[in-house]
């Protein structure tokens, strides 16, 4: 998830500019999109422990898939901007899911180490995927890149749906 969304985060501003948005508008939209994370953070105690980890992950994948459909199939700019506004919340939701998942499967004394390991793996995967995506982008363009990114997203969503995930009864966010 993190690797794929980091590709989007890296190349999205340039894609929006190639679609005709000026840099000021693009920057403003990206800044507003970051603010859309705030409700998730402030109200996480209201839903994170009440919704299953599997459901939360499926929500994240759904948000990213809708976004990549908008970019990969040149939907109208207003829809691309709308999906961008939910991009940052999906990333924040995934971070909170990591915390919830780690707290449910790792002893409390090892949770910080486990979260550090997860973050290191995410960062490494992000770097590797961004380099590959950059090389691919040079040859196929933005729309085709996002169409290709849809494939692992859809497969991951199907995998998430089929796999039995541990259910936590602990209150992590309460």
């Amino acid at each position: 998830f993190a690797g794929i969304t980091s590709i989007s985060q890296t190349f999205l501003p340039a894609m929006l500019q190639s679609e005709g948005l000026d840099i000021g508008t693009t920057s403003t939209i990206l800044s507003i999109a970051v603010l859309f994370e705030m409700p998730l953070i402030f109200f996480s105690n209201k839903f994170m422990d009440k919704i299953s980890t599997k459901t939360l992950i499926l929500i994240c994948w759904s948000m990213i898939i809708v976004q990549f459909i908008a970019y990969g199939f040149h939907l109208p700019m207003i829809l691309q901007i709308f999906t961008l506004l939910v991009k940052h919340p999906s990333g924040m939701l995934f971070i909170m899911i990591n915390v919830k998942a780690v707290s449910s499967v790792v002893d409390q004394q090892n949770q910080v180490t486990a979260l550090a390991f997860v973050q290191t793996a995410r960062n490494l995967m992000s770097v590797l995927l961004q380099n590959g995506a950059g090389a691919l982008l040079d040859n196929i363009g933005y729309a085709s890149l996002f169409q290709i990114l849809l494939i692992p997203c859809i497969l991951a969503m199907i995998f998430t749906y089929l796999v039995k995930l541990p259910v936590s009864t602990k209150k992590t966010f309460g």
Side-chain angles (χ1 to χ4, degrees), residues 32-122:
I32 293 169
V34 171
L35 296 176
F36 275 58
E37 293 177 359
M38 292 172 67
L40 278 177
I41 296 166
F42 293 138
F43 298 110
S44 62
N45 63 324
K46 305 281 187 206
F47 67 91
M48 283 300 293
D49 291 325
K50 294 178 181 150
I51 301 173
S52 73
T53 301
K54 178 183 267 191
T55 301
L56 291 167
I57 294 171
L58 290 171
I59 290 168
C60 277
W61 282 120
S62 298
M63 293 166 80
I64 294 301
I65 288 169
V66 168
Q67 178 187 4
F68 288 0
I69 287 170
Y71 305 147
F73 295 99
H74 292 291
L75 296 184
M77 181 59 70
I78 190 72
L79 290 175
Q80 291 183 32
I81 291 170
F82 174 75
T83 61
L84 174 62
L85 295 176
V86 297
K87 177 202 172 305
H88 285 281
S90 67
M92 179 54 67
L93 182 58
F94 192 73
I95 290 169
M96 292 189 295
I97 292 167
N98 281 329
V99 171
K100 180 178 179 176
V102 167
S103 73
S104 70
V105 296
V106 177
D107 294 335
Q108 188 172 1
Q109 64 204 30
N110 296 320
Q111 286 179 7
V112 172
T113 302
L115 286 169
F117 180 76
V118 168
Q119 187 61 36
T120 301
R122 290 178 63 208

Side-chain angles (χ1 to χ4, degrees), residues 96-160:
M96 292 189 295
I97 292 167
N98 281 329
V99 171
K100 180 178 179 176
V102 167
S103 73
S104 70
V105 296
V106 177
D107 294 335
Q108 188 172 1
Q109 64 204 30
N110 296 320
Q111 286 179 7
V112 172
T113 302
L115 286 169
F117 180 76
V118 168
Q119 187 61 36
T120 301
R122 290 178 63 208
N123 290 342
L124 178 61
M125 188 56 85
S126 293
V127 168
L128 295 173
L129 288 176
Q130 283 181 6
N131 285 330
L136 196 57
L137 181 61
D138 286 339
N139 294 305
I140 64 170
Y142 293 107
S144 296
L145 174 66
F146 284 107
Q147 289 170 5
I148 289 170
L149 290 175
L150 273 169
I151 295 167
C153 291
I154 291 168
L155 292 174
M157 188 170 185
I158 292 168
F159 179 76
T160 302

